[in-house]
Amino acid sequence: MEQSMIRLQAQLMKDYYKDFSRYAKGKKPECKIAWVTAFTPVEILEALGMDYYYPESYAAVIAASGKEQELMQECERQHLTADCCSYSCCFEGCVSLEKGPRGIPPKPDVLIATNNQCNTLPNWWNILAQRYHVPLIILDYPGEYVSGDYAYDYVRKQHEDLIFKLEILSGNKLDMSVLDKMIRNSKNSVQAWERIVDEFAVRAIRPTELFDGISFLITARCKEETAQLYVLMQEEFQKYSMADLTLTPVFWLGYPLWYHKDRYLSEIFDGFRMVGSNYITWWNLDYSGDTPLERLFQAYNYTFLNLKQNSRTKKLMECIKRSKAAGTVTLRNKSCKCDFVSARNIGLPQAELEIDMIDRMYLDTGKARRQMELLKEAICIVSELI
């Protein structure tokens, strides 16, 4: 079982990184390359035989390798201040110096950005477009702010235009049956991952295993191997012992800390256990619908971060309630203010930590420890009142 998991992980990573400079050794990619943001409908690219890469995800890999500070400083020397999104600063430094733990990704033939995550990304992709002099396609997803029928027509036309442009670029014609298969693969990956998330609340699973494990749902969700990997992971997790119920259950609200060996502040979690995280549910996309284009609309127009505040709060509360958390650790992320906004009005004691997912210099561990002590006191007071 373990060997099968390792084999699938190795295969997915090899496929993803094969054209990075560290491995390609100057060899040109065999197909057209797109750089995409995290919630791009990559099923279309996969069906057209294109490869695609996520600069945000690579920034996380850079931070995990301990290499982010030099690259962020280089970025600030050139054009972006440290107050900008750390993902962008880290990656911009990487491509400027042509340095990274796996080299640099192959140069893009097209850039695709979406606004269903945050509005910073289209601006960052404009900088990349100026650097590489390649076409930039921005997909505008109105979310819940436009009624369903109008929103569907608006998004469908953009998806059809995206298909048309990528057919010309790739030289391939989209087969709708292939696109439908890619969407089914993504749906299978999401469903398998959701079962893993359910195990997290009740078993002694290290949060690191999920913070790292979700990377395949991001970068390879429409690969058949991803669902296979997650099925094996769930089977493995079911062998773990049940969670220690003497520890105080808390919910992690915000990004993992990519520079930390455990991806969260494990050193200040004495007496606590993490039972859930909103980050590990963000890619649980809903591919419902009767046609491929309807399913893509449903999945990418209604991402969690593209919902109205009331809907985000409702979904968040449902996740927290299922986890049976008694409190939350909420990150005031220097890079991602919109993520903190999604944590309002959750009705539980919170430890609010000023932090960043990439920039370790922004972390004050002493202050964070004091916040956790206050959280424990607040949870005790609430439990006594009940």
Side-chain angles (χ1 to χ4, degrees):
M1 179 74 71
E2 183 178 353
Q3 286 301 316
S4 297
M5 285 175 54
I6 293 173
R7 178 181 56 79
L8 286 168
Q9 289 172 332
Q11 178 182 336
L12 288 167
M13 292 183 69
K14 181 180 179 181
D15 288 346
Y16 185 78
Y17 287 109
K18 66 181 185 298
D19 288 323
F20 276 57
S21 61
R22 179 175 165 185
Y23 309 101
K25 308 297 183 184
K27 181 182 177 181
K28 291 185 177 180
E30 296 179 355
C31 53
K32 295 298 183 180
I33 302 295
W35 287 5
V36 301
T37 53
F39 292 98
T40 294
V42 291
E43 293 82 5
I44 293 173
L45 284 74
E46 191 80 30
L48 284 169
M50 295 180 62
D51 282 343
Y52 44 91
Y53 299 95
Y54 296 82
E56 298 158 273
S57 292
Y58 194 46
V61 171
I62 292 169
S65 70
K67 307 291 186 182
E68 85 285 350
Q69 290 301 315
E70 176 190 2
L71 303 183
M72 292 178 67
Q73 290 165 11
E74 173 62 22
C75 179
E76 189 167 21
R77 279 194 293 271
Q78 292 203 30
H79 51 272
L80 293 180
T81 72
D83 290 333
C84 293
C85 172
S86 293
Y87 279 150
S88 62
C89 292
C90 183
F91 187 79
E92 284 291 321
C94 170
V95 295
S96 295
L97 294 177
E98 297 190 348
K99 291 176 62 176
R102 298 180 181 272
I104 59 174
K107 292 182 179 179
D109 297 296
V110 63
L111 296 160
I112 305 173
T114 67
N115 68 345
N116 52 0
Q117 176 184 359
C118 78
N119 289 323
T120 296
L121 293 170
N123 295 324
W124 174 14
W125 256 240
N126 266 305
I127 295 174
L128 291 172
Q130 293 171 28
R131 177 189 293 274
Y132 292 106
H133 305 288
V134 297
L136 168 62
I137 299 172
I138 296 178
L139 299 176
D140 177 31
Y141 293 97
E144 294 182 313
Y145 295 92
V146 175
S147 63
D149 290 342
Y150 291 108
Y152 172 68
D153 288 341
Y154 179 65
V155 171
R156 175 182 54 78
K157 290 175 183 177
Q158 291 183 80
H159 284 168
E160 289 173 342
D161 186 56
L162 175 66
I163 291 169
F164 174 75
K165 290 175 179 177
L166 295 184
E167 283 180 331
I168 294 173
L169 177 65
S170 67
N172 299 323
K173 185 72 175 176
L174 182 72
D175 184 331
M176 275 293 174
S177 66
V178 175
L179 176 59
D180 191 53
K181 179 182 178 182
M182 295 302 107
I183 294 171
R184 288 200 309 272
N185 289 347
S186 291
K187 185 174 183 177
N188 290 339
S189 296
V190 168
Q191 290 175 339
W193 178 255
E194 286 176 335
R195 291 191 288 271
I196 288 175
V197 172
D198 289 339
E199 298 289 343
F200 185 38
V202 297
R203 297 191 181 272
I205 301 171
R206 292 187 306 121
T208 317
E209 296 181 87
L210 274 74
F211 286 148
D212 286 351
I214 197 176
S215 64
F216 299 106
L217 190 60
I218 301 169
T219 63
R221 56 183 167 270
C222 49
K223 307 278 190 182
E224 288 183 359
E225 295 83 358
T226 300
Q228 295 169 10
L229 171 63
Y230 288 156
V231 168
L232 294 177
M233 283 182 66
Q234 186 203 6
E235 292 175 359
E236 189 67 21
F237 287 155
Q238 287 177 332
K239 300 175 184 177
Y240 284 28
S241 60
M242 302 305 289
D244 183 353
L245 299 182
T246 66
L247 300 176
T248 303
V250 293
F251 197 93
W252 182 270
L253 281 170
Y255 286 87
L257 307 183
W258 297 117
Y259 52 81
H260 195 287
K261 64 181 178 62
D262 294 323
R263 311 294 183 246
Y264 74 108
L265 292 176
S266 53
E267 62 269 31
I268 67 171
F269 259 65
D270 293 340
F272 292 98
R273 63 183 174 94
M274 194 188 304
V275 293
S277 160
N278 62 337
Y279 180 83
I280 62 174
T281 66
W282 281 350
W283 282 268
N284 293 357
L285 304 178
D286 177 9
Y287 289 93
S288 59
D290 295 326
T291 69
L293 290 180
E294 286 178 6
R295 291 193 281 275
L296 289 179
F297 164 73
Q298 184 68 29
Y300 292 100
N301 189 59
Y302 298 112
T303 59
F304 177 81
L305 293 174
N306 206 36
L307 300 176
K308 292 181 179 179
Q309 181 60 52
N310 288 341
S311 296
R312 289 204 302 266
T313 299
K314 181 179 178 181
K315 281 181 170 287
L316 199 54
M317 285 304 302
E318 289 172 354
C319 285
I320 294 172
K321 184 176 180 180
R322 283 198 304 272
S323 75
K324 298 183 179 179
T328 70
V329 180
T330 304
L331 307 192
R332 285 182 174 268
N333 196 317
K334 180 192 74 173
S335 291
C336 195
K337 306 300 189 296
C338 67
D339 180 41
F340 175 74
V341 170
S342 69
R344 290 185 304 180
N345 303 322
I346 60 175
L348 287 176
Q350 299 185 59
E352 295 180 359
L353 310 185
E354 294 186 4
I355 218 158
D356 189 76
M357 71 269 189
I358 293 287
D359 188 356
R360 71 187 71 212
M361 302 306 292
Y362 196 68
L363 172 64
D364 184 340
T365 305
K367 184 177 180 180
R369 194 182 300 277
R370 291 191 295 273
Q371 291 295 101
M372 293 296 284
E373 291 171 356
L374 292 172
L375 174 63
K376 187 171 292 186
E377 292 178 9
I379 291 173
C380 288
I381 293 171
V382 170
S383 63
E384 289 174 359
L385 294 173
I386 295 176

